[in-house]
CSV table of all heavy atoms in Angstrom, one decimal:
chain,number,residue,atom,x,y,z
A,134,VAL,N,0.8,-1.2,0.0
A,134,VAL,CA,0.0,0.0,0.0
A,134,VAL,C,0.9,1.3,0.0
A,134,VAL,O,0.6,2.2,-0.7
A,134,VAL,CB,-1.0,0.0,1.2
A,134,VAL,CG1,-1.6,1.3,1.4
A,134,VAL,CG2,-2.1,-1.1,1.0
A,135,ALA,N,2.0,1.2,0.8
A,135,ALA,CA,2.9,2.4,0.8
A,135,ALA,C,3.5,2.6,-0.6
A,135,ALA,O,3.8,3.8,-1.0
A,135,ALA,CB,4.0,2.1,1.8
A,136,GLU,N,3.6,1.6,-1.4
A,136,GLU,CA,4.1,1.7,-2.8
A,136,GLU,C,3.1,2.1,-3.8
A,136,GLU,O,3.3,2.3,-4.9
A,136,GLU,CB,4.7,0.4,-3.2
A,136,GLU,CG,6.0,0.0,-2.5
A,136,GLU,CD,6.5,-1.4,-2.8
A,136,GLU,OE1,5.7,-2.3,-3.3
A,136,GLU,OE2,7.7,-1.7,-2.7
A,137,GLY,N,1.8,2.3,-3.3
A,137,GLY,CA,0.7,2.8,-4.1
A,137,GLY,C,-0.1,1.7,-4.7
A,137,GLY,O,-1.0,2.0,-5.5
A,138,GLU,N,0.1,0.4,-4.3
A,138,GLU,CA,-0.7,-0.7,-4.9
A,138,GLU,C,-2.1,-0.7,-4.2
A,138,GLU,O,-2.2,-0.4,-3.1
A,138,GLU,CB,0.0,-2.0,-4.6
A,138,GLU,CG,1.4,-2.2,-5.3
A,138,GLU,CD,1.2,-2.3,-6.8
A,138,GLU,OE1,0.2,-2.9,-7.3
A,138,GLU,OE2,2.1,-1.8,-7.5
A,139,PRO,N,-3.1,-1.2,-5.0
A,139,PRO,CA,-4.4,-1.3,-4.4
A,139,PRO,C,-4.5,-2.6,-3.6
A,139,PRO,O,-3.7,-3.5,-3.8
A,139,PRO,CB,-5.3,-1.4,-5.6
A,139,PRO,CG,-4.5,-2.0,-6.7
A,139,PRO,CD,-3.1,-1.5,-6.4
A,140,LEU,N,-5.4,-2.6,-2.6
A,140,LEU,CA,-5.6,-3.8,-1.8
A,140,LEU,C,-6.2,-4.9,-2.8
A,140,LEU,O,-6.9,-4.6,-3.7
A,140,LEU,CB,-6.6,-3.6,-0.7
A,140,LEU,CG,-6.1,-2.8,0.5
A,140,LEU,CD1,-7.3,-2.4,1.4
A,140,LEU,CD2,-5.1,-3.5,1.2
A,141,PRO,N,-5.8,-6.2,-2.5
A,141,PRO,CA,-6.3,-7.3,-3.3
A,141,PRO,C,-7.9,-7.3,-3.3
A,141,PRO,O,-8.5,-6.9,-2.3
A,141,PRO,CB,-5.8,-8.5,-2.6
A,141,PRO,CG,-4.6,-8.1,-1.9
A,141,PRO,CD,-4.9,-6.7,-1.5
A,142,GLU,N,-8.4,-7.7,-4.4
A,142,GLU,CA,-9.9,-7.7,-4.6
A,142,GLU,C,-10.6,-8.4,-3.5
A,142,GLU,O,-11.7,-8.0,-3.1
A,142,GLU,CB,-10.3,-8.3,-6.0
A,142,GLU,CG,-9.9,-7.4,-7.2
A,142,GLU,CD,-10.9,-6.3,-7.5
A,142,GLU,OE1,-12.1,-6.5,-7.0
A,142,GLU,OE2,-10.6,-5.4,-8.1
A,143,HIS,N,-10.1,-9.6,-3.1
A,143,HIS,CA,-10.8,-10.4,-2.1
A,143,HIS,C,-10.9,-9.8,-0.8
A,143,HIS,O,-11.7,-10.3,0.1
A,143,HIS,CB,-10.1,-11.8,-2.0
A,143,HIS,CG,-8.8,-11.8,-1.3
A,143,HIS,ND1,-7.6,-11.5,-1.9
A,143,HIS,CD2,-8.5,-12.1,0.0
A,143,HIS,CE1,-6.7,-11.6,-1.1
A,143,HIS,NE2,-7.1,-11.9,0.1
A,144,LEU,N,-10.2,-8.7,-0.5
A,144,LEU,CA,-10.3,-8.0,0.8
A,144,LEU,C,-11.4,-6.9,0.8
A,144,LEU,O,-11.6,-6.3,1.8
A,144,LEU,CB,-9.0,-7.4,1.1
A,144,LEU,CG,-7.8,-8.3,1.3
A,144,LEU,CD1,-6.5,-7.6,1.8
A,144,LEU,CD2,-8.1,-9.4,2.4
A,145,HIS,N,-12.0,-6.6,-0.4
A,145,HIS,CA,-12.9,-5.6,-0.4
A,145,HIS,C,-14.2,-5.9,0.3
A,145,HIS,O,-15.0,-5.1,0.7
A,145,HIS,CB,-13.2,-5.2,-1.9
A,145,HIS,CG,-12.1,-4.5,-2.6
A,145,HIS,ND1,-12.2,-3.8,-3.7
A,145,HIS,CD2,-10.7,-4.5,-2.3
A,145,HIS,CE1,-11.0,-3.3,-4.1
A,145,HIS,NE2,-10.1,-3.8,-3.2
A,146,ASP,N,-14.5,-7.2,0.3
A,146,ASP,CA,-15.7,-7.7,1.0
A,146,ASP,C,-15.3,-8.2,2.4
A,146,ASP,O,-14.1,-8.2,2.8
A,146,ASP,CB,-16.4,-8.8,0.2
A,146,ASP,CG,-16.9,-8.3,-1.1
A,146,ASP,OD1,-17.4,-7.1,-1.2
A,146,ASP,OD2,-16.7,-9.0,-2.1
A,147,ARG,N,-16.3,-8.7,3.2
A,147,ARG,CA,-16.0,-9.3,4.5
A,147,ARG,C,-15.1,-10.5,4.3
A,147,ARG,O,-15.3,-11.3,3.5
A,147,ARG,CB,-17.3,-9.7,5.2
A,147,ARG,CG,-18.2,-8.5,5.5
A,147,ARG,CD,-17.6,-7.7,6.7
A,147,ARG,NE,-18.5,-6.7,7.2
A,147,ARG,CZ,-18.5,-5.4,6.8
A,147,ARG,NH1,-17.6,-5.0,5.9
A,147,ARG,NH2,-19.4,-4.6,7.2
A,148,VAL,N,-14.0,-10.5,5.0
A,148,VAL,CA,-13.0,-11.5,4.9
A,148,VAL,C,-13.4,-12.8,5.6
A,148,VAL,O,-13.8,-12.7,6.8
A,148,VAL,CB,-11.6,-11.0,5.4
A,148,VAL,CG1,-10.6,-12.1,5.3
A,148,VAL,CG2,-11.2,-9.8,4.6
A,149,ALA,N,-13.3,-13.9,4.9
A,149,ALA,CA,-13.6,-15.2,5.6
A,149,ALA,C,-12.5,-15.6,6.6
A,149,ALA,O,-11.4,-15.3,6.4
A,149,ALA,CB,-13.8,-16.3,4.5
A,150,VAL,N,-12.9,-16.3,7.6
A,150,VAL,CA,-12.0,-16.7,8.7
A,150,VAL,C,-11.9,-18.2,8.7
A,150,VAL,O,-12.8,-18.9,8.3
A,150,VAL,CB,-12.4,-16.1,10.1
A,150,VAL,CG1,-12.4,-14.6,10.0
A,150,VAL,CG2,-13.7,-16.6,10.5
A,151,ARG,N,-10.8,-18.6,9.3
A,151,ARG,CA,-10.6,-20.1,9.5
A,151,ARG,C,-10.1,-20.3,10.9
A,151,ARG,O,-9.1,-19.7,11.4
A,151,ARG,CB,-9.5,-20.6,8.5
A,151,ARG,CG,-8.2,-19.8,8.6
A,151,ARG,CD,-7.1,-20.5,7.9
A,151,ARG,NE,-5.8,-20.0,8.4
A,151,ARG,CZ,-4.7,-20.7,8.4
A,151,ARG,NH1,-4.6,-21.9,8.0
A,151,ARG,NH2,-3.6,-20.1,8.9
A,152,GLY,N,-10.8,-21.2,11.6
A,152,GLY,CA,-10.3,-21.6,12.9
A,152,GLY,C,-10.3,-20.4,14.0
A,152,GLY,O,-11.0,-19.5,13.9
A,153,TYR,N,-9.3,-20.6,14.9
A,153,TYR,CA,-9.3,-19.7,16.0
A,153,TYR,C,-7.8,-19.5,16.4
A,153,TYR,O,-7.0,-20.4,16.4
A,153,TYR,CB,-10.1,-20.2,17.2
A,153,TYR,CG,-10.7,-19.1,18.1
A,153,TYR,CD1,-11.9,-18.6,17.9
A,153,TYR,CD2,-9.9,-18.5,19.1
A,153,TYR,CE1,-12.5,-17.6,18.6
A,153,TYR,CE2,-10.4,-17.5,19.9
A,153,TYR,CZ,-11.7,-17.1,19.6
A,153,TYR,OH,-12.3,-16.0,20.4
A,154,ALA,N,-7.5,-18.2,16.8
A,154,ALA,CA,-6.1,-17.9,17.2
A,154,ALA,C,-6.1,-17.2,18.6
A,154,ALA,O,-7.0,-16.3,18.8
A,154,ALA,CB,-5.4,-17.1,16.2
A,155,ILE,N,-5.2,-17.5,19.4
A,155,ILE,CA,-5.0,-16.8,20.7
A,155,ILE,C,-3.6,-16.5,20.9
A,155,ILE,O,-2.7,-17.3,20.6
A,155,ILE,CB,-5.5,-17.7,21.9
A,155,ILE,CG1,-6.9,-18.2,21.7
A,155,ILE,CG2,-5.3,-17.0,23.2
A,155,ILE,CD1,-7.4,-19.1,22.8
A,156,GLU,N,-3.3,-15.2,21.3
A,156,GLU,CA,-2.0,-14.7,21.5
A,156,GLU,C,-1.8,-14.3,23.0
A,156,GLU,O,-2.8,-13.7,23.6
A,156,GLU,CB,-1.7,-13.5,20.6
A,156,GLU,CG,-0.4,-12.8,20.9
A,156,GLU,CD,-0.3,-11.5,20.1
A,156,GLU,OE1,-0.1,-11.7,18.9
A,156,GLU,OE2,-0.3,-10.4,20.6
A,157,VAL,N,-0.7,-14.6,23.6
A,157,VAL,CA,-0.4,-14.1,24.9
A,157,VAL,C,0.9,-13.2,24.8
A,157,VAL,O,1.8,-13.5,24.0
A,157,VAL,CB,-0.2,-15.2,25.9
A,157,VAL,CG1,-1.5,-15.9,26.1
A,157,VAL,CG2,1.0,-16.1,25.5
A,158,ARG,N,1.0,-12.2,25.7
A,158,ARG,CA,2.2,-11.4,25.7
A,158,ARG,C,3.0,-11.9,26.9
A,158,ARG,O,2.6,-11.7,28.1
A,158,ARG,CB,1.8,-9.9,25.9
A,158,ARG,CG,1.0,-9.4,24.8
A,158,ARG,CD,0.9,-7.9,24.9
A,158,ARG,NE,-0.1,-7.4,24.0
A,158,ARG,CZ,-0.4,-6.1,23.7
A,158,ARG,NH1,0.4,-5.2,24.3
A,158,ARG,NH2,-1.3,-5.7,22.9
A,159,LEU,N,4.1,-12.5,26.6
A,159,LEU,CA,5.0,-13.0,27.7
A,159,LEU,C,5.9,-11.8,28.1
A,159,LEU,O,6.7,-11.3,27.3
A,159,LEU,CB,5.9,-14.1,27.1
A,159,LEU,CG,6.7,-14.9,28.1
A,159,LEU,CD1,5.8,-15.6,29.1
A,159,LEU,CD2,7.5,-16.0,27.3
A,160,CYS,N,5.8,-11.4,29.4
A,160,CYS,CA,6.4,-10.2,29.9
A,160,CYS,C,7.4,-10.5,31.0
A,160,CYS,O,7.2,-11.4,31.8
A,160,CYS,CB,5.4,-9.2,30.3
A,160,CYS,SG,4.2,-8.6,29.0
A,161,ALA,N,8.4,-9.7,31.1
A,161,ALA,CA,9.4,-9.8,32.2
A,161,ALA,C,8.8,-8.9,33.4
A,161,ALA,O,9.1,-7.8,33.5
A,161,ALA,CB,10.8,-9.2,31.8
A,162,GLU,N,8.0,-9.6,34.2
A,162,GLU,CA,7.4,-8.9,35.3
A,162,GLU,C,6.9,-9.9,36.3
A,162,GLU,O,6.7,-11.1,36.0
A,162,GLU,CB,6.2,-8.0,34.8
A,162,GLU,CG,5.1,-8.8,34.2
A,162,GLU,CD,4.0,-7.9,33.5
A,162,GLU,OE1,4.4,-6.8,33.2
A,162,GLU,OE2,2.9,-8.4,33.4
A,163,ASP,N,6.6,-9.5,37.5
A,163,ASP,CA,6.1,-10.4,38.6
A,163,ASP,C,4.6,-10.0,38.9
A,163,ASP,O,4.4,-9.0,39.6
A,163,ASP,CB,7.0,-10.2,39.8
A,163,ASP,CG,6.6,-11.2,40.9
A,163,ASP,OD1,5.6,-11.9,40.8
A,163,ASP,OD2,7.4,-11.4,41.8
A,164,PRO,N,3.6,-10.7,38.4
A,164,PRO,CA,2.2,-10.3,38.7
A,164,PRO,C,1.9,-10.3,40.1
A,164,PRO,O,1.1,-9.5,40.6
A,164,PRO,CB,1.5,-11.4,37.9
A,164,PRO,CG,2.4,-11.9,36.8
A,164,PRO,CD,3.7,-11.8,37.4
A,165,ALA,N,2.5,-11.2,40.9
A,165,ALA,CA,2.2,-11.3,42.3
A,165,ALA,C,2.7,-10.1,43.1
A,165,ALA,O,2.3,-9.9,44.2
A,165,ALA,CB,2.8,-12.6,42.9
A,166,GLN,N,3.6,-9.3,42.5
A,166,GLN,CA,4.2,-8.1,43.1
A,166,GLN,C,3.7,-6.9,42.4
A,166,GLN,O,4.5,-5.9,42.1
A,166,GLN,CB,5.7,-8.2,43.2
A,166,GLN,CG,6.3,-9.3,44.0
A,166,GLN,CD,5.9,-9.2,45.4
A,166,GLN,OE1,5.9,-8.1,46.0
A,166,GLN,NE2,5.7,-10.4,46.1
A,167,GLY,N,2.4,-6.8,42.0
A,167,GLY,CA,1.9,-5.7,41.4
A,167,GLY,C,2.5,-5.5,40.0
A,167,GLY,O,2.6,-4.4,39.5
A,168,TYR,N,2.8,-6.6,39.3
A,168,TYR,CA,3.4,-6.6,37.9
A,168,TYR,C,4.7,-5.8,37.9
A,168,TYR,O,5.0,-5.1,36.9
A,168,TYR,CB,2.4,-6.0,36.9
A,168,TYR,CG,1.0,-6.6,36.9
A,168,TYR,CD1,-0.1,-6.0,37.6
A,168,TYR,CD2,0.8,-7.9,36.4
A,168,TYR,CE1,-1.3,-6.6,37.6
A,168,TYR,CE2,-0.4,-8.5,36.4
A,168,TYR,CZ,-1.5,-7.8,37.0
A,168,TYR,OH,-2.7,-8.5,37.0
A,169,ARG,N,5.4,-6.0,39.0
A,169,ARG,CA,6.7,-5.3,39.0
A,169,ARG,C,7.6,-5.8,37.9
A,169,ARG,O,7.8,-6.9,37.8
A,169,ARG,CB,7.4,-5.6,40.4
A,169,ARG,CG,8.7,-4.8,40.6
A,169,ARG,CD,9.2,-5.1,42.0
A,169,ARG,NE,9.6,-6.5,42.2
A,169,ARG,CZ,9.7,-7.0,43.4
A,169,ARG,NH1,9.5,-6.4,44.5
A,169,ARG,NH2,10.2,-8.3,43.5
A,170,PRO,N,8.2,-4.8,37.1
A,170,PRO,CA,9.1,-5.3,36.0
A,170,PRO,C,10.3,-6.0,36.5
A,170,PRO,O,10.8,-5.7,37.6
A,170,PRO,CB,9.4,-3.9,35.3
A,170,PRO,CG,8.4,-3.0,35.8
A,170,PRO,CD,8.0,-3.4,37.1
A,171,ALA,N,10.8,-6.9,35.7
A,171,ALA,CA,12.0,-7.6,36.0
A,171,ALA,C,13.1,-7.3,35.0
A,171,ALA,O,12.8,-7.0,33.8
A,171,ALA,CB,11.8,-9.1,36.1
A,172,ALA,N,14.3,-7.3,35.4
A,172,ALA,CA,15.4,-7.1,34.5
A,172,ALA,C,16.6,-8.1,34.8
A,172,ALA,O,16.6,-8.7,35.8
A,172,ALA,CB,16.0,-5.6,34.6
A,173,GLY,N,17.5,-8.2,33.8
A,173,GLY,CA,18.6,-9.2,34.0
A,173,GLY,C,18.9,-9.9,32.7
A,173,GLY,O,18.4,-9.5,31.6
A,174,VAL,N,19.7,-10.9,32.8
A,174,VAL,CA,20.1,-11.7,31.6
A,174,VAL,C,19.1,-12.9,31.5
A,174,VAL,O,18.9,-13.7,32.5
A,174,VAL,CB,21.5,-12.3,31.8
A,174,VAL,CG1,21.9,-13.1,30.6
A,174,VAL,CG2,22.5,-11.1,31.9
A,175,LEU,N,18.6,-13.1,30.3
A,175,LEU,CA,17.7,-14.2,30.0
A,175,LEU,C,18.6,-15.4,29.6
A,175,LEU,O,19.0,-15.5,28.4
A,175,LEU,CB,16.7,-13.8,28.9
A,175,LEU,CG,15.5,-14.7,28.6
A,175,LEU,CD1,14.7,-14.8,29.9
A,175,LEU,CD2,14.7,-14.2,27.5
A,176,HIS,N,18.9,-16.2,30.5
A,176,HIS,CA,19.9,-17.3,30.3
A,176,HIS,C,19.4,-18.3,29.3
A,176,HIS,O,20.2,-18.9,28.5
A,176,HIS,CB,20.3,-17.9,31.6
A,176,HIS,CG,21.0,-17.0,32.5
A,176,HIS,ND1,22.2,-16.4,32.3
A,176,HIS,CD2,20.6,-16.6,33.8
A,176,HIS,CE1,22.5,-15.6,33.3
A,176,HIS,NE2,21.6,-15.7,34.2
């Protein structure tokens, strides 16, 4: 799109979906301590 190309035709209508996806954000923090951030070397 940044190059000026149009979106593919099949995206102009409602896009069909397949299955289900779930994402989690793995964070360096301690939820039991008020989500206190953690730092250090990830061995």
Side-chain angles (χ1 to χ4, degrees):
V134 165
E136 291 174 336
E138 295 292 326
L140 288 171
E142 290 275 341
H143 72 278
L144 298 182
H145 291 201
D146 299 320
R147 294 288 186 265
V148 177
V150 299
R151 54 164 200 154
Y153 210 93
I155 303 176
E156 169 184 294
V157 296
R158 302 190 191 188
L159 191 59
C160 299
E162 63 187 24
D163 188 348
Q166 298 295 324
Y168 306 103
R169 184 175 68 198
V174 178
L175 192 60
H176 299 298

